[in-house]
Every structure is written in C-alpha cells, then in structure tokens.
Amino acid sequence: MVIQLNTRFKAQGKKPNWCPGCGDHGLLSATIKTVEKKGLLPNEVVITSGIGCSSSFPHWTSAYGIHAIHGRALPPAIGVHMANPELTVISVGGDGDGYGIGGNHFIHTARRNPNITYMVMNNQIYGLTLGQASPSSQLGHITTTTPEGVEEEPINPIALALGAGATFVARAYTRDSKHLQMIIDKAMDHRGFAFVDVISPCVTFNKLNTYEWFNKRVYKLEDHDTSDPSAAFGKAMEWGDKIPLGIFYQIDRPTLNDKNPVTRNKIPVKEPLGFNAQNIDMEEVFDEFR
Amino acid sequence: MSDKNSKLPIKRFSIRYGGSAGDGLQSTGRLIQKYFNKLGYSVFGFPGTQSTIRGGHIWQHIEFAVDKIFNFSQELDLLIALNTDTLLTHSKDLKDGAILIYDTSRVKLDNYQELLDSKNIKLVGGELFRYARDINKTSTVLAMTISTAAMLRLLGLSTDEFIDTIRKRFVNKEKIIEFNIQAVKKGVEFMNANLGTVFSCEIPEKKDTRDIVVNGNEAIALGAVASGLKFLGQYPITPASQIMMYLSKHSEKFGVVVKQAEDEIAAINMVIGASFAGVRAMTATSGPGISLKTEAIGYAAMTETPLVIVNSMRGGPSTGIPTKMEQSDLMSSIYASHGESPRVVLAPKSIEDAYYITIRAFNLADKYQLPVFILSDFGLSERTSNVTPFVEKKIERGLIWTGPTEKFPVFKRKQITENGVSPRAFPPTVGGEYILVGAEHDEFSNSLSGNRCGLPLSQEIHEKMTRKRFRKLDYLQEELREGEFYGEDNADHTIICWGSTYGAVKEAIDYLNTNTDNTWNMLSFTDIHPLPKRTLKLLERINHPIMFEVNFTGQFAGLLQMYFKYSVDDRIMLLGGEAPTASFISKEAMKWRNK
C-alpha cells in the first residue's frame, strides 16, 4: 500500500466558510500559491492558528495543522518548531486572537525570534462573535459593544512588533494579491520571526474600514531603509489618510533554535529516548547527588 | 565531658537547623545528608521555607538512622538555633534531655528558659557567627559549617568524610574549601570545650553505598529524562521550579529542550505543539499554574494529545501558602477544564515512586493519548532522601502510524476503535496530514464547528466521540494500580491515605501497632483517577476506616463515595501547612481507637 504524495496545498472537498468577499480568502489563496511556488510539500508544513473567523485557515489547506485555543496560535508553533526544526511552521490568526487575548505570546515570540512566519488577518472587528470592537478597532467606531464609539486607542501592531524585537515586520493587503504573495515569500525566506499584519477587511461587520476605505489610503513603501529601526518606527506610526504597505524592518539575528543548547545541534524528534540510548552515563548523572 | 561508657547509644537522630534565609541552611543541609549517606545511614531532609529571599525564618530538618526512614520526625534530638524564631517555632518539639546549640549574640533565650529547663535541655551557646567572621569576614554561611562540625563531634562521628563532601561540592574553589576546613576545626574545638562527645551512633551495615540523595522534584526530572523527555515548557513557580532548574542545567547533555515560557498558558500550549510534532513533552507547575492551564488541559483531552503535567501542590486557594504543603488539588486535577474530559491522575508516595511513576505517566499518556497528572506536593517535591540509584524502564510510545497497514490502510487520526485509542501520525509523515482541533470533529479530525455544527450528523458524532474518549478510562481502570495495605491483617482500624503522606502514615502504623492494644493498618493509594474497580474489594476488607488527607473538604473521601458509595466518616485532617509526621497522625488516630 502506497500513499500518493500530495503536492497541492488546497484542501480537497472542503470550502472555507468565510463570507463571500472576506479578505481571508485572499490570504489563503496567496499563501497556497506561495508555498507551492516554493516547492514545499503539505506534509512538511505545519500551520497553527487560534480562534476566530480567520483561525479556521488551517482546515482549508492539506498541510498539518493545529487549530489551537483562543489566542494561542504561537506557543504550539514554538513547540512544533523546537521539537522538529526541519518543519516549516506558519502561524495565522485574527486581530482579536493575536493582539488581544494572545497579545502576550505575540510580544514574547517576537523577542525569541523563532523561525516562524506569523500572519495576522486584521479586520479590526470580532467577526465570529458577531461584530464587537477588537484591539485594532478604530477610535470612535460604533460596534455592538461600543454604542458610543470605541474609546480606546487601537493597538499599533507594527510598532508593537518592532518594540518587541521582531526581526521581520511587514504589512500587506489582501486586495493586492501579487504584493501579498511577495511579502509572504520574503517572510518565509526570512530566518527568524517574520510578522505580517495583513489587512483583511470584514465585509459583514466592519462597515467603516472597507475595501473602498483602504483602497484610497494604502501605498507601498519605497526608498525605505528596512535595516533602519528609526525609519521603521517612523513609518509604523503612519495610519490614517495614508497607510504604508511593505517591509518596515528586517534584520539578521540568531534564531531561537540557533541559540538553544539542544536544537542548535540536534533535531529532538529524531533523537533516541532515555539516558542509555543517548549514551549518557547514569552513574555520572548520579554522582552529583553523592 | 562524658567518658566512653556513659555515651548514649543512638539508632535514629533528628536535627533541626533554624535561621534566616541566606544563612545557607538548604545548601549545607544537602551536604550533611550526602555525608550521612556516605557513612551508610538512611537520611531524610525536609526544608521549612518562606516566600522570602533573605531574612525571615527558615529551617532545615535532617534525620539519619540505621534503618530506613520513611518520614521525618516531629520530635527533635538536637536543635541548632541561629535566630530566636527558631525557639518560637521548634522548642516545643525538643525531646526531653535534647540538646540546643545556639548563637549567643543572635538568640535570646529569655522567654524560653522555663520551657528549656522543664525539658532538661542541654544548652551549648557560642558566638557562632563571630567565629565564622573570624575565618572569613564576608561569609556567614560558615556558621552552618561550624555548627555542623560541632554536631558531628557531639555524635562522635568523623569530620573527614564531611570535609571530603565539602571538597567535592566546591571543587576548584580552594579558598572556599580552606575556609570550610577552618570552620570544621573551629566547630570541633567549640564542642570539645562544651559537651564533647555525648552519643555513640550505631554503625550501619551498609558501606560504600552508591545511593543518591535527591529530592522529589529531581526524581521527577530524572524520571522524565529516562522516559525520553525532549521538551519541557514551564513557568517559574514554587514548589515546581526546581524541575526546570535542574533540567536547564543539563539541557544540552540530556537532550531536553527547556523553554521557560512567558506564562503558564504558553508553557502548556508549547508542550501540546511539541507533543503533536512527536516528542515526549511535559509541563510542571503548582496549583495557580494549573488554574491558568485549564483550558489547554481540556484541549489536550479533546485532541487526544499525550501530555504529562506535574502539579506540585501547595496550600491554596489563590496564592494560598506557597511554600507549604496541602493535598487540595485532587478534585481540580480530575475536573479542571470546562466540559467533560478524560485524564489520568497519579500521586507518587515517595521519592523512588516519583521517579518510577513519571515513567509510567509518559507511557500511559502515549498509550491512551490524554493528559496525565503527576500529583506531587511541597512535602514530596522538597523532601530529600537517599535512595537506590534509579534504573531505566521500558518506553512504550503507543499506536503510531507511519504509513498504510492492513489494520489502518488510511490514516484517520480519531478513528473510532474498541478501546478508544486511534493511531497518531507525526509530521512529516506522508498521508498523515491532519488538523489538531479543539472543536468536536469527525474521525479524520475535520472540525464540526461552523457550517456542519447544527446538522444531525454533528449530534451523532459528538456522542460517538465523547463515548470514544471516555472508553479509554474503562481500560485504564483495569490497568491502573489498586491501593496497597500495610500493617496488621484484618486490623481494628485502617488509615486510608494517598500520595506523599504514605511515609508518615506508615511510621504511624508501626508506632500504633507497638504502642496501643489495637491493631492497625493502612491502605494507601498512588493511582487516583480513574480508580480501579477492584478498589471496592479492598475497601470491603476494612473494619473501621479513618481517612487521612491534608485538606479540609475530604477530596479523596469524596471520590470513594462517588465511585463506590463507600463512606468514611472519621477523618484526620491537617491544615497548618506543615507536612504530616507519624506522631501527629498517631495522636489523632488514637482518638478513634475505641470506635
């Protein structure tokens, strides 16, 4: 009995349950196109996600996946990545999942610099729970939980990622698939934690930040020094009439697995189990206790 | 000074050091235990710690004996007081005629003089800290060495092996060794000028022992490595941090990735990811950490992800009494998380058991694909004792799918089987691709959340999958170990206990059988959930049950009621935070002797 090697990342017989027009369709197809173009195989890729509309993403692919609990897309990704550094790990989720309930993991994963690509489908609203304000909702936005408009400053994911020490920070827009694919491609090529804030409009619950709203505002970063943190922070603060897309910052730094005393030399999942199998002299281990 | 013939023979001797955090009680305590181990004695150590970095009152108990010690004693033969709080806390436990060594500049005897006189305590006072400063101005830790050497002189034991132990501990630190050798000399002189040698210790038969002095946390860590642990995700918390500290120290050598996570939630979710990727993975924490991990525990059960979770219990709820002992997380271990989710709960009874139960925990987690709790507590995690060097046991990784077989031609991660266990595949196994998902799912692990959720098919699947997941517990009830009797057969009274209190209860049973007209035995449990059905047969052999557990609500008693409709009305409880001793249990048990 032989199993046919699957080279296609699109899940067979399953269709995303996202609303027609939802930006998430755009990230899904751009991701599938990019990983296929890179020659990756579904069995070598693990996609993790949290909870929310966008977090059903792994189910629409034929790769391995972890559809984790709310806000926890990144910790299991780190577990997979360190247990088997040979796998390609992609994490996805929404703004509520990644910037709200999972915000702590976002910060600490950035500073750890694992070789993981993290793409957040940012629609500035909670969609799955029917339209509540999210951490990235615009100030004054009237939602089902903010009848007088959002009163808290929206989170700035780009500045947050920069401040936390992310080594690749970018923004893309699902309407511009070609640019999005280019960004995904570069993010996946990056050795280290690659974060992409993906503008992915919600056509059902966010009547404020619509495609029309973004189309008028987005522009691509040009003549921008991606190695300059000050320039990156400067551009990160731009949001309103003009919204920059592209790579804000990229730098080389040793990755989590480069520095870890085990993963820098070994692939844990391939190592034998126990003291004796690893040629560890138990007597020597016990000597510390005598 | 006493002459040779008048020396008091001893078989077992209990010592307590009391001082402030920073005085080096715990580190020196381990050295002294290694010393007694070297001489062939059975040794038992227990710390009394506070949530403090420096100052406050902490203590270290050390006990040695020619026969095996199962628990430390309440009563003290020797108290070494480096602060006055030592007398406040421990003078009541001094045996009649016991000895008190104390620092005359720090310890005020005034309020205790009457008590000390009434107990005929022999006082040995000296300026221990000044002697220490005279050797090295900057180190007060040497006061511990001085008082220890004085103790060895008192016991008539050689200081040579103690110096050997110090040399080994501070290898290549010549200056520290030199200071300590001077301190040992000073301690001996000091005792010679006071009581000299008072005791004559029985010499143990065991010589050249290979035994090791470990604590419960180290035993769990060693058991995990022997089980093939590759990933530990943990967040610092008392009293479980030592597991992470020990494994961090040896991470490279042991091949164990140790990831100190940003929080308890991240720690367990990392472990879930590592387990999904195919390695053996563990997290360790205490009650507050378990509270934070509960959602992920349910996720692991729902996704049938093998996971070992160490809960080293402390006093709760909330921050509770963080450096003290309680057995109050039993029910939360069984039920933590919303919904209904199967898991296994094992509570080791001793340091040896902590090692071997850890190996069983990993095997059970893989075999049944669910979370397995190791329920330790402060009293076990932090106790030290010398044990026979551990050996490796068989590693069983359960049902792993690496390609089509006759039985499993197509990979279905959640295939419904007779015992509820389905094949697992790890990436990058070709054909094994699946999505781990916390939403209810079909045999292929396809989520039913979303558009299929409301359809009749989903109702049917949820019922089938719930039954599948819980079927594992039926098999576990056959496989897990039943309770164990110790003491007189068909005894008048039986003390029922679980987990780490085993040693204290065992010593209490011996005491009660020797010193009362009644007959006593104990029934102790390590495998808590799911309780084997055979347990009822054991319970039926009991004439009068007395439950002893270190909690208020009687959680294990409640479990026996729930499983077997077996009632235990008479209870001994301990709520002060200190670990139980045989004398406490015997005293309490005797209240029920006429029943």
mmCIF file of all heavy atoms in Angstrom, chain B residues 163-199:
data_model
loop_
_atom_site.group_PDB
_atom_site.id
_atom_site.type_symbol
_atom_site.label_atom_id
_atom_site.label_comp_id
_atom_site.label_asym_id
_atom_site.label_seq_id
_atom_site.Cartn_x
_atom_site.Cartn_y
_atom_site.Cartn_z
ATOM 1 N N ILE B 163 34.542 16.751 55.330
ATOM 2 C CA ILE B 163 35.456 17.603 54.552
ATOM 3 C C ILE B 163 35.536 17.097 53.107
ATOM 4 O O ILE B 163 35.531 17.891 52.160
ATOM 5 C CB ILE B 163 36.847 17.672 55.237
ATOM 6 C CG1 ILE B 163 36.721 18.481 56.539
ATOM 7 C CG2 ILE B 163 37.888 18.312 54.312
ATOM 8 C CD1 ILE B 163 37.942 18.456 57.432
ATOM 9 N N ASP B 164 35.539 15.777 52.938
ATOM 10 C CA ASP B 164 35.525 15.213 51.572
ATOM 11 C C ASP B 164 34.311 15.725 50.792
ATOM 12 O O ASP B 164 34.395 16.083 49.613
ATOM 13 C CB ASP B 164 35.447 13.675 51.624
ATOM 14 C CG ASP B 164 36.764 13.061 52.087
ATOM 15 O OD1 ASP B 164 37.771 13.808 52.169
ATOM 16 O OD2 ASP B 164 36.782 11.838 52.381
ATOM 17 N N THR B 165 33.152 15.704 51.477
ATOM 18 C CA THR B 165 31.915 16.150 50.821
ATOM 19 C C THR B 165 32.011 17.620 50.429
ATOM 20 O O THR B 165 31.570 18.014 49.349
ATOM 21 C CB THR B 165 30.711 15.934 51.771
ATOM 22 O OG1 THR B 165 30.814 14.633 52.336
ATOM 23 C CG2 THR B 165 29.396 16.057 51.056
ATOM 24 N N ILE B 166 32.613 18.414 51.320
ATOM 25 C CA ILE B 166 32.785 19.841 51.017
ATOM 26 C C ILE B 166 33.728 20.019 49.826
ATOM 27 O O ILE B 166 33.466 20.791 48.911
ATOM 28 C CB ILE B 166 33.342 20.595 52.261
ATOM 29 C CG1 ILE B 166 32.271 20.643 53.351
ATOM 30 C CG2 ILE B 166 33.815 21.999 51.896
ATOM 31 C CD1 ILE B 166 32.768 21.097 54.715
ATOM 32 N N ARG B 167 34.808 19.246 49.831
ATOM 33 C CA ARG B 167 35.783 19.323 48.715
ATOM 34 C C ARG B 167 35.101 19.033 47.384
ATOM 35 O O ARG B 167 35.340 19.691 46.381
ATOM 36 C CB ARG B 167 36.903 18.297 48.921
ATOM 37 C CG ARG B 167 38.014 18.774 49.821
ATOM 38 C CD ARG B 167 39.168 17.760 49.781
ATOM 39 N NE ARG B 167 39.978 17.810 50.976
ATOM 40 C CZ ARG B 167 40.866 18.763 51.222
ATOM 41 N NH1 ARG B 167 41.060 19.729 50.356
ATOM 42 N NH2 ARG B 167 41.561 18.748 52.346
ATOM 43 N N LYS B 168 34.235 18.029 47.402
ATOM 44 C CA LYS B 168 33.569 17.631 46.166
ATOM 45 C C LYS B 168 32.587 18.723 45.716
ATOM 46 O O LYS B 168 32.488 19.032 44.531
ATOM 47 C CB LYS B 168 32.813 16.313 46.396
ATOM 48 C CG LYS B 168 32.390 15.682 45.107
ATOM 49 C CD LYS B 168 31.701 14.355 45.303
ATOM 50 C CE LYS B 168 30.889 14.058 44.065
ATOM 51 N NZ LYS B 168 29.637 13.411 44.330
ATOM 52 N N ARG B 169 31.908 19.298 46.682
ATOM 53 C CA ARG B 169 30.912 20.331 46.369
ATOM 54 C C ARG B 169 31.592 21.574 45.799
ATOM 55 O O ARG B 169 31.088 22.226 44.897
ATOM 56 C CB ARG B 169 30.137 20.649 47.654
ATOM 57 C CG ARG B 169 29.324 21.928 47.672
ATOM 58 C CD ARG B 169 28.027 21.773 46.919
ATOM 59 N NE ARG B 169 27.198 22.966 47.041
ATOM 60 C CZ ARG B 169 27.402 24.101 46.365
ATOM 61 N NH1 ARG B 169 28.400 24.188 45.527
ATOM 62 N NH2 ARG B 169 26.602 25.131 46.535
ATOM 63 N N PHE B 170 32.757 21.927 46.355
ATOM 64 C CA PHE B 170 33.421 23.175 45.941
ATOM 65 C C PHE B 170 34.701 22.896 45.160
ATOM 66 O O PHE B 170 35.708 23.563 45.345
ATOM 67 C CB PHE B 170 33.731 24.051 47.158
ATOM 68 C CG PHE B 170 32.503 24.498 47.902
ATOM 69 C CD1 PHE B 170 32.187 23.951 49.145
ATOM 70 C CD2 PHE B 170 31.644 25.445 47.355
ATOM 71 C CE1 PHE B 170 31.047 24.360 49.829
ATOM 72 C CE2 PHE B 170 30.503 25.858 48.039
ATOM 73 C CZ PHE B 170 30.204 25.309 49.281
ATOM 74 N N VAL B 171 34.641 21.905 44.306
ATOM 75 C CA VAL B 171 35.827 21.525 43.556
ATOM 76 C C VAL B 171 36.385 22.742 42.799
ATOM 77 O O VAL B 171 35.624 23.530 42.234
ATOM 78 C CB VAL B 171 35.523 20.318 42.626
ATOM 79 C CG1 VAL B 171 34.591 20.697 41.498
ATOM 80 C CG2 VAL B 171 36.796 19.707 42.095
ATOM 81 N N ASN B 172 37.709 22.898 42.847
ATOM 82 C CA ASN B 172 38.409 24.032 42.216
ATOM 83 C C ASN B 172 38.178 25.377 42.904
ATOM 84 O O ASN B 172 38.570 26.415 42.381
ATOM 85 C CB ASN B 172 38.041 24.177 40.726
ATOM 86 C CG ASN B 172 38.525 22.977 39.942
ATOM 87 O OD1 ASN B 172 39.535 22.369 40.290
ATOM 88 N ND2 ASN B 172 37.803 22.623 38.899
ATOM 89 N N LYS B 173 37.490 25.363 44.024
ATOM 90 C CA LYS B 173 37.321 26.630 44.748
ATOM 91 C C LYS B 173 38.107 26.508 46.050
ATOM 92 O O LYS B 173 37.542 26.349 47.128
ATOM 93 C CB LYS B 173 35.837 26.907 45.004
ATOM 94 C CG LYS B 173 35.094 27.255 43.721
ATOM 95 C CD LYS B 173 33.614 27.387 43.942
ATOM 96 C CE LYS B 173 32.891 27.684 42.632
ATOM 97 N NZ LYS B 173 31.475 27.368 42.689
ATOM 98 N N GLU B 174 39.439 26.565 45.908
ATOM 99 C CA GLU B 174 40.349 26.260 47.010
ATOM 100 C C GLU B 174 40.098 27.120 48.238
ATOM 101 O O GLU B 174 40.172 26.673 49.369
ATOM 102 C CB GLU B 174 41.803 26.401 46.545
ATOM 103 C CG GLU B 174 42.266 25.253 45.650
ATOM 104 C CD GLU B 174 41.998 23.871 46.251
ATOM 105 O OE1 GLU B 174 42.199 23.699 47.475
ATOM 106 O OE2 GLU B 174 41.566 22.962 45.508
ATOM 107 N N LYS B 175 39.809 28.392 47.993
ATOM 108 C CA LYS B 175 39.632 29.325 49.092
ATOM 109 C C LYS B 175 38.426 28.934 49.961
ATOM 110 O O LYS B 175 38.507 28.910 51.195
ATOM 111 C CB LYS B 175 39.453 30.740 48.533
ATOM 112 C CG LYS B 175 39.971 31.770 49.484
ATOM 113 C CD LYS B 175 40.522 32.987 48.799
ATOM 114 C CE LYS B 175 41.297 33.811 49.822
ATOM 115 N NZ LYS B 175 41.715 35.076 49.284
ATOM 116 N N ILE B 176 37.341 28.618 49.264
ATOM 117 C CA ILE B 176 36.115 28.227 49.992
ATOM 118 C C ILE B 176 36.375 26.949 50.778
ATOM 119 O O ILE B 176 35.957 26.812 51.938
ATOM 120 C CB ILE B 176 34.941 28.036 49.004
ATOM 121 C CG1 ILE B 176 34.609 29.368 48.338
ATOM 122 C CG2 ILE B 176 33.717 27.475 49.714
ATOM 123 C CD1 ILE B 176 33.480 29.332 47.331
ATOM 124 N N ILE B 177 37.089 26.014 50.170
ATOM 125 C CA ILE B 177 37.402 24.750 50.852
ATOM 126 C C ILE B 177 38.224 25.043 52.107
ATOM 127 O O ILE B 177 37.929 24.530 53.187
ATOM 128 C CB ILE B 177 38.154 23.789 49.895
ATOM 129 C CG1 ILE B 177 37.227 23.361 48.751
ATOM 130 C CG2 ILE B 177 38.680 22.579 50.652
ATOM 131 C CD1 ILE B 177 37.907 22.596 47.635
ATOM 132 N N GLU B 178 39.220 25.913 51.946
ATOM 133 C CA GLU B 178 40.092 26.249 53.076
ATOM 134 C C GLU B 178 39.301 26.870 54.223
ATOM 135 O O GLU B 178 39.448 26.485 55.388
ATOM 136 C CB GLU B 178 41.204 27.204 52.583
ATOM 137 C CG GLU B 178 42.289 27.505 53.596
ATOM 138 C CD GLU B 178 42.796 26.271 54.338
ATOM 139 O OE1 GLU B 178 43.022 25.212 53.691
ATOM 140 O OE2 GLU B 178 42.933 26.358 55.576
ATOM 141 N N PHE B 179 38.406 27.799 53.899
ATOM 142 C CA PHE B 179 37.550 28.424 54.923
ATOM 143 C C PHE B 179 36.732 27.366 55.651
ATOM 144 O O PHE B 179 36.590 27.381 56.873
ATOM 145 C CB PHE B 179 36.592 29.449 54.289
ATOM 146 C CG PHE B 179 37.258 30.721 53.825
ATOM 147 C CD1 PHE B 179 36.742 31.435 52.736
ATOM 148 C CD2 PHE B 179 38.373 31.225 54.488
ATOM 149 C CE1 PHE B 179 37.347 32.616 52.314
ATOM 150 C CE2 PHE B 179 38.978 32.411 54.065
ATOM 151 C CZ PHE B 179 38.466 33.101 52.971
ATOM 152 N N ASN B 180 36.199 26.452 54.873
ATOM 153 C CA ASN B 180 35.337 25.431 55.471
ATOM 154 C C ASN B 180 36.122 24.483 56.371
ATOM 155 O O ASN B 180 35.628 24.054 57.414
ATOM 156 C CB ASN B 180 34.595 24.646 54.383
ATOM 157 C CG ASN B 180 33.294 25.318 53.977
ATOM 158 O OD1 ASN B 180 32.304 25.258 54.697
ATOM 159 N ND2 ASN B 180 33.308 25.992 52.840
ATOM 160 N N ILE B 181 37.345 24.164 55.959
ATOM 161 C CA ILE B 181 38.172 23.276 56.789
ATOM 162 C C ILE B 181 38.467 23.959 58.125
ATOM 163 O O ILE B 181 38.368 23.336 59.192
ATOM 164 C CB ILE B 181 39.465 22.888 56.037
ATOM 165 C CG1 ILE B 181 39.117 21.946 54.881
ATOM 166 C CG2 ILE B 181 40.470 22.217 56.984
ATOM 167 C CD1 ILE B 181 40.266 21.642 53.947
ATOM 168 N N GLN B 182 38.758 25.261 58.067
ATOM 169 C CA GLN B 182 38.972 26.014 59.316
ATOM 170 C C GLN B 182 37.712 26.015 60.172
ATOM 171 O O GLN B 182 37.774 25.912 61.399
ATOM 172 C CB GLN B 182 39.358 27.454 58.985
ATOM 173 C CG GLN B 182 40.783 27.612 58.507
ATOM 174 C CD GLN B 182 41.089 29.095 58.225
ATOM 175 O OE1 GLN B 182 40.756 29.963 59.018
ATOM 176 N NE2 GLN B 182 41.705 29.354 57.087
ATOM 177 N N ALA B 183 36.558 26.150 59.483
ATOM 178 C CA ALA B 183 35.280 26.188 60.198
ATOM 179 C C ALA B 183 35.005 24.846 60.884
ATOM 180 O O ALA B 183 34.507 24.795 62.011
ATOM 181 C CB ALA B 183 34.154 26.545 59.238
ATOM 182 N N VAL B 184 35.353 23.767 60.198
ATOM 183 C CA VAL B 184 35.154 22.427 60.780
ATOM 184 C C VAL B 184 36.011 22.305 62.048
ATOM 185 O O VAL B 184 35.544 21.855 63.102
ATOM 186 C CB VAL B 184 35.510 21.321 59.756
ATOM 187 C CG1 VAL B 184 35.594 19.959 60.436
ATOM 188 C CG2 VAL B 184 34.480 21.297 58.627
ATOM 189 N N LYS B 185 37.241 22.743 61.928
ATOM 190 C CA LYS B 185 38.163 22.680 63.074
ATOM 191 C C LYS B 185 37.616 23.484 64.253
ATOM 192 O O LYS B 185 37.609 23.029 65.401
ATOM 193 C CB LYS B 185 39.536 23.253 62.639
ATOM 194 C CG LYS B 185 40.712 22.486 63.208
ATOM 195 C CD LYS B 185 42.013 23.015 62.621
ATOM 196 C CE LYS B 185 42.944 23.376 63.769
ATOM 197 N NZ LYS B 185 43.970 24.336 63.399
ATOM 198 N N LYS B 186 37.118 24.664 63.931
ATOM 199 C CA LYS B 186 36.583 25.555 64.963
ATOM 200 C C LYS B 186 35.371 24.893 65.651
ATOM 201 O O LYS B 186 35.240 24.937 66.880
ATOM 202 C CB LYS B 186 36.164 26.880 64.318
ATOM 203 C CG LYS B 186 35.581 27.884 65.275
ATOM 204 C CD LYS B 186 36.638 28.433 66.227
ATOM 205 C CE LYS B 186 36.000 28.822 67.553
ATOM 206 N NZ LYS B 186 37.009 29.251 68.536
ATOM 207 N N GLY B 187 34.519 24.274 64.836
ATOM 208 C CA GLY B 187 33.315 23.630 65.372
ATOM 209 C C GLY B 187 33.656 22.509 66.337
ATOM 210 O O GLY B 187 33.020 22.343 67.385
ATOM 211 N N VAL B 188 34.676 21.738 65.973
ATOM 212 C CA VAL B 188 35.096 20.617 66.824
ATOM 213 C C VAL B 188 35.659 21.145 68.150
ATOM 214 O O VAL B 188 35.284 20.674 69.226
ATOM 215 C CB VAL B 188 36.137 19.742 66.086
ATOM 216 C CG1 VAL B 188 36.747 18.712 67.031
ATOM 217 C CG2 VAL B 188 35.497 19.055 64.878
ATOM 218 N N GLU B 189 36.511 22.174 68.049
ATOM 219 C CA GLU B 189 37.080 22.791 69.261
ATOM 220 C C GLU B 189 35.980 23.301 70.174
ATOM 221 O O GLU B 189 36.005 23.113 71.390
ATOM 222 C CB GLU B 189 37.945 24.005 68.873
ATOM 223 C CG GLU B 189 39.351 23.662 68.465
ATOM 224 C CD GLU B 189 40.057 24.875 67.847
ATOM 225 O OE1 GLU B 189 39.592 26.021 68.071
ATOM 226 O OE2 GLU B 189 41.032 24.662 67.095
ATOM 227 N N PHE B 190 35.009 23.962 69.531
ATOM 228 C CA PHE B 190 33.889 24.563 70.266
ATOM 229 C C PHE B 190 33.117 23.487 71.055
ATOM 230 O O PHE B 190 32.822 23.665 72.237
ATOM 231 C CB PHE B 190 32.983 25.292 69.261
ATOM 232 C CG PHE B 190 31.627 25.655 69.775
ATOM 233 C CD1 PHE B 190 31.479 26.552 70.834
ATOM 234 C CD2 PHE B 190 30.484 25.111 69.195
ATOM 235 C CE1 PHE B 190 30.215 26.900 71.292
ATOM 236 C CE2 PHE B 190 29.224 25.451 69.664
ATOM 237 C CZ PHE B 190 29.092 26.344 70.714
ATOM 238 N N MET B 191 32.848 22.367 70.421
ATOM 239 C CA MET B 191 32.103 21.324 71.126
ATOM 240 C C MET B 191 32.974 20.650 72.190
ATOM 241 O O MET B 191 32.483 20.300 73.267
ATOM 242 C CB MET B 191 31.544 20.296 70.127
ATOM 243 C CG MET B 191 30.561 19.308 70.735
ATOM 244 S SD MET B 191 29.243 20.050 71.758
ATOM 245 C CE MET B 191 28.172 20.738 70.507
ATOM 246 N N ASN B 192 34.249 20.484 71.879
ATOM 247 C CA ASN B 192 35.158 19.903 72.881
ATOM 248 C C ASN B 192 35.177 20.741 74.163
ATOM 249 O O ASN B 192 35.254 20.192 75.260
ATOM 250 C CB ASN B 192 36.572 19.802 72.320
ATOM 251 C CG ASN B 192 36.735 18.537 71.469
ATOM 252 O OD1 ASN B 192 35.943 17.592 71.613
ATOM 253 N ND2 ASN B 192 37.720 18.529 70.592
ATOM 254 N N ALA B 193 35.069 22.059 73.981
ATOM 255 C CA ALA B 193 35.077 22.951 75.136
ATOM 256 C C ALA B 193 33.733 22.946 75.864
ATOM 257 O O ALA B 193 33.609 23.528 76.931
ATOM 258 C CB ALA B 193 35.423 24.361 74.685
ATOM 259 N N ASN B 194 32.712 22.308 75.256
ATOM 260 C CA ASN B 194 31.390 22.258 75.890
ATOM 261 C C ASN B 194 31.038 20.839 76.330
ATOM 262 O O ASN B 194 31.585 20.348 77.294
ATOM 263 C CB ASN B 194 30.341 22.838 74.946
ATOM 264 C CG ASN B 194 30.419 24.357 74.898
ATOM 265 O OD1 ASN B 194 29.906 25.011 75.774
ATOM 266 N ND2 ASN B 194 31.107 24.898 73.901
ATOM 267 N N LEU B 195 30.208 20.154 75.532
ATOM 268 C CA LEU B 195 29.769 18.810 75.949
ATOM 269 C C LEU B 195 30.700 17.697 75.504
ATOM 270 O O LEU B 195 30.647 16.592 76.025
ATOM 271 C CB LEU B 195 28.372 18.524 75.391
ATOM 272 C CG LEU B 195 27.240 19.442 75.865
ATOM 273 C CD1 LEU B 195 25.956 19.065 75.147
ATOM 274 C CD2 LEU B 195 27.054 19.323 77.366
ATOM 275 N N GLY B 196 31.499 17.960 74.475
ATOM 276 C CA GLY B 196 32.318 16.890 73.904
ATOM 277 C C GLY B 196 31.421 15.869 73.216
ATOM 278 O O GLY B 196 30.351 16.203 72.702
ATOM 279 N N THR B 197 31.836 14.624 73.199
ATOM 280 C CA THR B 197 31.018 13.597 72.559
ATOM 281 C C THR B 197 30.071 12.974 73.574
ATOM 282 O O THR B 197 30.510 12.451 74.592
ATOM 283 C CB THR B 197 31.921 12.531 71.918
ATOM 284 O OG1 THR B 197 32.691 13.155 70.893
ATOM 285 C CG2 THR B 197 31.086 11.404 71.312
ATOM 286 N N VAL B 198 28.794 13.058 73.269
ATOM 287 C CA VAL B 198 27.762 12.584 74.193
ATOM 288 C C VAL B 198 27.149 11.267 73.731
ATOM 289 O O VAL B 198 26.702 10.456 74.511
ATOM 290 C CB VAL B 198 26.653 13.660 74.326
ATOM 291 C CG1 VAL B 198 25.495 13.162 75.168
ATOM 292 C CG2 VAL B 198 27.235 14.938 74.911
ATOM 293 N N PHE B 199 27.128 11.094 72.395
ATOM 294 C CA PHE B 199 26.405 9.950 71.830
ATOM 295 C C PHE B 199 27.347 8.914 71.224
ATOM 296 O O PHE B 199 28.480 9.213 70.883
ATOM 297 C CB PHE B 199 25.449 10.425 70.730
ATOM 298 C CG PHE B 199 24.438 11.412 71.221
ATOM 299 C CD1 PHE B 199 24.593 12.777 70.967
ATOM 300 C CD2 PHE B 199 23.332 10.986 71.948
ATOM 301 C CE1 PHE B 199 23.661 13.684 71.417
ATOM 302 C CE2 PHE B 199 22.389 11.901 72.396
ATOM 303 C CZ PHE B 199 22.553 13.249 72.132
#
